[in-house]
Amino acid sequence: MKKSSKRLTVVLGTVLGSSLILAACGGNGDTAKTSGSSKSNSEGKSLSFRLADAHPDNYPTVLGDKKFAELVNKKSNGRIKIDVFANGQLGDEKSVIEQVQLGAVEFTRVSTGPMAEFSKPLGVFSLPYIFDDSEHEWRFLNSDKGQELLKGLESSKMVGLAYYDSGARSFYSTKPIKKVEDLKGQKIRVQQNQINIDLMNALGANATPMAYGEVFSSLQTGVIDAAENNTPSYVSANHYQVAKNLIEDGHQRVPEVVVASKAIWDKLSAKDKKIIQEAAKESVDTERKEWDKMEKDSEAKIKDSGVTIVKVKDVEPWQKKVKPVIDKYRADYGDVLDAIDKARK
Ligand code: BDP
């Protein structure tokens, strides 16, 4: 390890917790807090890792993370422990991704929205109206091409373990929105990537990229007029209490990913890698079931709380407006878009 990067990791370790200091002292193959013999990989050692998630404790992704941690613990007979840090305790998604790249945080569950700035191929999920519904999306995610995108994270110092569900995103505002034209001139918070900025420009709106944790107060104080997300986030982050106009256009389906730090991964034994990979895949079922439940609960809560809901029956005028965005990115994502088309029944 180069001297400068070692110093950076040690500083981060001091700030973020003791497990990282051991990671910085690597070289003998130790990862995070380890004990046991000093073999050149993780074989037989006790390991303790952290997983970061932006959502609160009862949110589907966090319940998925916890299932993942539980399965890893069980499959390793208690030898590998993963502590889930929910509520953005370890930082916003962008900074957590950077920490994962450094190996300072070992695992995270993040949205492919901010991930797109770190692994360009994942930007495809920020393109508008590319999936018909959840079934279409999952057929693609489970296809060879979908899995290839997960694998592609390795060139960005991460290992993609699984996709989690995140439904469809729609707009909500402090101002009335009845049709696509009403978005014109509104200041809309978006996830931090360039495609989202282009998307808002195409709609005649002003894009304001910012971290998820800042959206509630920004809506409340009028820094932004609007935002967009799935209904479980709209409810659990309390955005529905301040932005009371929801228009269900479902412009994006931006899946979540569970990733490991490649710096840590490379030090694991083949057996431990297998345990972790299998556990992540098996946890998807829990997350998806919890997702379906929370989507229904959120819809009910929104209805009961005086939110004005407009359901978009015909998305064609919306698709027309955002076509320049697809045209701009078709060259970059042509093969993936073709695979997405093929995943249509
Ligand atoms: C939610 C994702 C979360 C993102 C958030 C956002 O689950 O990971 O942080 O959107 O809009 O749907 O940034």
Side-chain angles (χ1 to χ4, degrees):
M1 190 182 275
K2 271 198 249 119
K3 211 173 172 191
S4 58
S5 68
K6 185 166 181 172
R7 198 178 311 124
L8 179 61
T9 318
V10 172
V11 170
L12 274 170
T14 314
V15 176
L16 296 164
S18 59
S19 71
L20 314 171
I21 294 169
L22 279 161
C25 299
N28 66 349
D30 281 5
T31 58
K33 271 189 218 154
T34 64
S35 63
S37 68
S38 58
K39 285 182 195 159
S40 62
N41 60 33
S42 65
E43 194 93 53
K45 290 177 184 170
S46 296
L47 300 168
S48 171
F49 298 131
R50 300 188 301 170
L51 184 154
D53 196 307
H55 286 299
D57 264 328
N58 58 349
Y59 195 89
T61 58
V62 178
L63 297 171
D65 302 337
K66 287 183 180 165
K67 187 71 190 178
F68 166 52
E70 181 196 312
L71 288 168
V72 167
N73 199 258
K74 205 161 131 198
K75 285 172 190 280
S76 66
N77 296 320
R79 195 168 50 77
I80 310 176
K81 188 166 173 280
I82 299 177
D83 285 317
V84 176
F85 288 79
N87 269 315
Q89 286 175 75
L90 300 184
D92 64 44
E93 294 196 341
K94 205 163 160 246
S95 68
V96 163
I97 295 168
E98 285 161 0
Q99 293 177 63
V100 168
Q101 287 183 312
L102 287 169
V105 170
E106 294 88 6
F107 295 93
T108 186
R109 185 295 309 163
V110 283
S111 166
T112 49
M115 201 55 134
E117 293 292 285
F118 296 83
S119 177
K120 198 175 164 198
L122 293 179
V124 74
F125 298 118
S126 292
L127 292 175
Y129 309 107
I130 56 172
F131 293 113
D132 296 343
D133 51 26
S134 174
E135 287 72 34
H136 179 202
E137 178 190 0
W138 277 95
R139 267 198 305 278
F140 171 73
L141 297 179
N142 290 327
S143 73
D144 289 350
K145 195 74 189 173
Q147 294 301 307
E148 198 184 287
L149 295 187
L150 260 192
K151 270 227 123 255
L153 276 165
E154 294 209 12
S155 52
S156 311
K157 303 188 186 142
M158 289 172 272
V159 177
L161 299 172
Y163 289 111
Y164 278 177
D165 209 338
S166 193
R169 298 175 76 100
S170 290
F171 291 97
Y172 45 85
S173 179
T174 53
K175 300 177 175 170
I177 338 171
K178 299 241 174 326
K179 52 188 185 312
V180 64
E181 287 75 19
D182 297 337
L183 290 173
K184 204 165 165 210
Q186 295 211 25
K187 270 189 125 183
I188 306 180
R189 179 270 172 175
V190 290
Q191 290 187 298
Q192 294 152 296
N193 73 45
Q194 184 57 43
I195 296 177
N196 281 320
I197 297 173
D198 293 337
L199 185 57
M200 295 310 127
N201 286 340
L203 291 166
N206 300 316
T208 309
M210 67 167 70
Y212 182 54
E214 291 167 32
V215 179
F216 176 78
S217 63
S218 301
L219 284 168
Q220 204 176 31
T221 56
V223 168
I224 50 172
D225 303 310
E228 46 77 60
N229 220 313
N230 50 52
T231 47
S233 292
Y234 180 50
V235 168
S236 69
N238 291 321
H239 298 171
Y240 77 115
Q241 290 176 358
V242 280
K244 290 190 155 295
N245 301 283
L246 171 69
I247 183 151
E248 297 194 318
D249 70 300
H251 52 276
Q252 289 168 330
R253 304 191 76 93
V254 185
E256 320 281 7
V257 274
V258 180
V259 301
S261 165
K262 187 156 186 323
I264 303 298
W265 187 257
D266 287 346
K267 293 174 180 173
L268 296 176
S269 68
K271 186 177 154 202
D272 288 352
K273 284 180 185 163
K274 190 163 177 268
I275 288 174
I276 292 170
Q277 179 60 81
E278 276 177 11
K281 292 266 184 243
E282 286 170 29
S283 71
V284 173
D285 193 44
T286 299
E287 196 272 347
R288 291 193 64 187
K289 281 195 180 120
E290 295 294 341
W291 181 262
D292 290 346
K293 232 193 283 168
M294 185 153 182
E295 223 172 23
K296 283 194 192 93
D297 291 353
S298 306
E299 295 279 341
K301 197 152 186 185
I302 294 166
K303 270 190 199 127
D304 286 354
S305 62
V307 168
T308 304
I309 307 168
V310 176
K311 287 199 193 295
V312 176
K313 289 197 188 88
D314 178 15
V315 287
E316 224 181 285
W318 297 71
Q319 286 170 321
K320 254 199 200 141
K321 276 230 183 280
V322 302
K323 189 166 173 293
V325 183
I326 300 277
D327 292 345
K328 176 175 172 186
Y329 288 98
R330 180 157 283 283
D332 292 342
Y333 294 109
D335 59 329
V336 191
L337 289 172
D338 287 348
I340 290 174
D341 277 343
K342 267 199 204 120
R344 220 166 245 125
K345 256 199 181 140

